[in-house]
């Protein structure tokens, strides 16, 4: 931890930016991104420490916690640096800075700021040095980043204070003596040697007893040995912004995570040594945060319904577990692409974004701003590469062909929007032009005809329904985002077609199934029946427009597809 030493300017070599502009990137390029994240993290840490000097606290003064952190870094620099670069630490640092500037909310500020003491205690344990600090408890728990959680049963609910002492890797956590209480009151003292535990085989759950609850880890066995990746269901800063309570997984659910992770890791690695498009070294993942379920029941869906990352926590991924390792591997690729782009944006601006949400994103129900559009393009070029890698896999070839065809088409549309926006910086133009070259090459690659038809149809359906639900008919232009006017009643809507069209219908019945099967006439009639009941229903109207365009291609159909919001129900013939 070398915050006091002057650092040379960090400049990305042109050849590394060119690599990342393809959508992939070598180990050298990823190492440079991590180097940039290290510099940023140290700057954030120093900034927080300076702000905390004047913050009143019932805990040990922040300056002393800082000295403990420095002493630990001097004794075990690599271990403490890994701790400081942990995703949860980055999330905490930026959250506390937002709190200090009054633009975020959370628990008592002194308690959140007291996380610096917990960080120092963790560093002292890693370095096996002595420390003695007053630290905050939340509902009796002291959260130690990257290790787990110490619980004291005798602590009161809410935010309280305890004394944390370390010596030779051992932690003693003690509640302060209260007048009239016994020094050895049950549940007031915990002595333990904090450590993590593998996800498969660790059974301890969060409860009310005095004990150590270890952070679980997913074990990946690679060429250089086993690597532990946190499966974080404990840390309050494991989510995207505000602190959240622990959501401990059942032992069976944790074991399923390990199994799926091993299977997904096998899909992520390719024959090449470099981490290219569609592949990912699983050790690049810094943390997996389960979302939405703690038990194996009810059974999860096959696909990932929720996944997210934050630019403040590089390499961490919040994921709702699917039942399919293929879907999990796709989510890993998707979210790591977001981490890469966020790290690039920390190095230099890629665009001049006015943050106006007016652009069409083929993977969203709502209009997006340019930064969101760029993030989506970068994420989904990775997804397209992932499915391209699966084309030779007989088990998944047809599904892969569909997703590859769909994401390359949608990605190229968004890249064109970005290039035409006039808001890219010099580095942004290099990046987006590189993405365009990758996608243009992929668009020339042959794909199964049925899968290509379904992909093109699904893309047309999404754009058509998006405009029907979002764009007001009096907008002045079809493709100029500056001319769009949005409906005041627009809201979220489910995209049920993107994944439904992935498989060829064997016995089509619904209108969508007939359209996917290449029967636009039957689909048109069924959409018309649905519109008789509700002539303005956007889902059915989008299907009707796309089916009609497939039956009667030409200028009129192109106009309908370009500006479907102008098509009034009574104009159908």
């Amino acid at each position: 931890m070398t915050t006091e030493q002057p650092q040379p300017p960090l400049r990305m070599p042109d050849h590394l930016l060119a690599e990342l502009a393809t959508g992939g990137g070598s180990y050298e390029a990823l190492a440079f991104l991590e180097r940039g994240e290290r510099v940023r993290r140290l700057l954030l840490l120093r900034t927080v420490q300076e702000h905390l000097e004047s913050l009143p606290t019932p805990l040990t003064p922040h300056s002393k916690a800082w000295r403990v952190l420095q002493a630990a870094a001097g004794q075990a620099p690599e271990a403490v640096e890994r701790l400081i670069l942990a995703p949860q630490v980055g999330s905490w640092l930026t959250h506390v800075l937002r709190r200090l500037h009054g633009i975020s909310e959370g628990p008592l500020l002194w308690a959140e700021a007291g996380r610096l003491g917990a960080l120092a205690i963790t560093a002292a344990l890693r370095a096996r040095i002595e420390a003695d600090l007053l630290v905050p408890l939340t509902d009796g728990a002291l959260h130690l980043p990257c290790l787990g959680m110490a619980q004291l049963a005798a602590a009161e609910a809410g935010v309280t204070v305890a004394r944390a002492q370390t010596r030779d890797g051992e932690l003693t956590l003690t509640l302060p003596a209260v007048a009239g209480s016994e020094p050895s009151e049950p549940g007031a003292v915990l002595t333990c040697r904090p450590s993590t535990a593998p996800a498969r085989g660790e059974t301890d759950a969060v409860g009310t007893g005095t004990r150590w609850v270890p952070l679980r880890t997913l074990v990946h066995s690679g060429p250089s040995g086993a690597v532990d990746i946190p499966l974080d269901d404990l840390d309050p800063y494991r989510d995207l912004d505000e602190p959240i309570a622990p959501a401990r997984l059942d032992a069976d659910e944790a074991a399923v995570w390990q199994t799926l992770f091993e299977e997904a890791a096998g899909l992520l690695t390719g024959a090449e040594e470099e981490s290219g498009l569609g592949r990912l070294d699983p050790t690049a993942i810094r943390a997996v945060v389960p979302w939405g379920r703690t038990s194996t029941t009810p059974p999860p869906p096959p696909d990932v319904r929720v996944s997210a990352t934050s630019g403040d926590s590089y390499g961490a991924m919040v994921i709702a577990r699917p039942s399919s390792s293929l879907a999990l591997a796709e989510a890993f690729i998707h979210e790591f692409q977001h981490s890469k782009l966020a790290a690039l944006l920390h190095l230099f601006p890629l665009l001049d974004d006015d943050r106006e949400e007016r652009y069409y994103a083929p993977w969203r129900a709502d209009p997006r701003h340019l930064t969101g559009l760029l993030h989506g393009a970068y994420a989904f070029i990775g997804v397209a590469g992932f499915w391209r890698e699966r084309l030779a896999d007989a088990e998944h070839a047809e599904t892969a062909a569909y997703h590859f065809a769909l994401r390359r088409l949608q990605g190229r549309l968004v890249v064109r929007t970005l290039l035409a926006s006039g808001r890219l910086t010099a580095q942004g133009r290099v990046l987006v032009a590189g993405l365009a070259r990758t996608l243009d090459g992929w668009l020339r690659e042959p794909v199964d005809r049925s899968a290509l038809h379904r992909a093109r149809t699904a893309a047309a359906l999404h754009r058509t329904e998006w405009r029907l639900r979002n764009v007001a008919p009096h907008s002045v232009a079809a493709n100029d985002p500056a001319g769009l006017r949005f409906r005041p009643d627009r809201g979220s809507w489910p995209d049920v077609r993107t994944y439904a069209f992935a498989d060829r219908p064997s016995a089509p019945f619904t209108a969508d199934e007939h359209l996917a099967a290449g029967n636009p006439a039957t689909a048109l009639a069924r959409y018309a029946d649905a519109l008789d009941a509700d002539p303005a229903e956007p889902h059915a109207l989008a299907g009707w427009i796309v089916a009609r365009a497939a039956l009667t291609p030409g200028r009129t159909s192109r106009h309908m597809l370009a500006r479907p919001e102008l098509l009034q129900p009574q104009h159908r013939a």
Side-chain angles (χ1 to χ4, degrees), residues 261-316:
F261 181 82
E262 289 174 331
E263 295 173 356
L267 294 168
L268 292 173
T269 53
E272 296 86 347
E273 292 184 359
E274 294 291 274
S275 181
L277 265 172
R279 299 185 301 276
L280 174 65
D281 181 350
T283 62
I285 301 171
R286 295 293 178 259
V288 176
V289 179
W291 187 91
R293 63 184 298 120
T294 59
S295 171
T296 56
T297 57
D303 56 317
V304 174
R305 300 293 171 87
V306 176
S307 67
T309 53
S310 167
D312 299 325
S313 48
Y314 178 83

Side-chain angles (χ1 to χ4, degrees), residues 248 259 312 381 487:
R248 191 65 162 174
T259 299
D312 299 325
I381 197 173
R487 297 172 60 102

Side-chain angles (χ1 to χ4, degrees), residues 95 105 164 174 177 194 220 229 252 275 283 287 298 364 492 543 550 564:
H95 174 73
E105 298 180 352
T174 311
H220 171 66
I229 297 164
D252 289 345
S275 181
T283 62
R364 296 278 300 210
S492 181

Side-chain angles (χ1 to χ4, degrees), residues 1-3 37-38 41-43 45 66 69 73 77-91 93 119 123 126 146:
M1 190 177 74
T2 56
T3 54
E37 288 301 289
R38 175 188 181 275
R41 191 68 59 84
L42 292 175
L43 287 171
L45 185 60
W66 181 258
L69 190 59
E78 292 184 2
V80 174
E81 183 147 307
R82 285 196 301 271
L83 172 64
I84 291 171
L85 294 179
Q88 308 92 324
V89 175
S91 181
L93 286 169
L119 184 65
R126 291 280 179 88
C146 303

Side-chain angles (χ1 to χ4, degrees), residues 387-447:
W387 288 110
R388 183 171 175 263
E389 289 277 316
R390 313 270 85 74
L391 290 174
D393 182 350
E395 182 181 358
H396 304 114
E398 185 172 356
T399 299
Y402 166 81
H403 286 295
F404 173 56
L406 176 66
R407 298 312 186 189
R408 70 181 183 179
L409 177 64
Q410 293 176 328
R412 190 60 180 90
L413 174 65
V414 169
V415 163
R416 182 174 64 190
T417 301
L418 289 164
L419 289 171
S421 69
R423 290 184 169 270
L424 296 172
T425 64
Q427 294 94 340
R429 287 192 295 274
V430 170
L431 180 74
V432 178
L435 299 180
R437 285 191 293 272
T438 295
L439 291 164
D440 287 343
W442 285 353
L443 284 166
R444 291 190 289 268
E445 295 181 3
V447 174

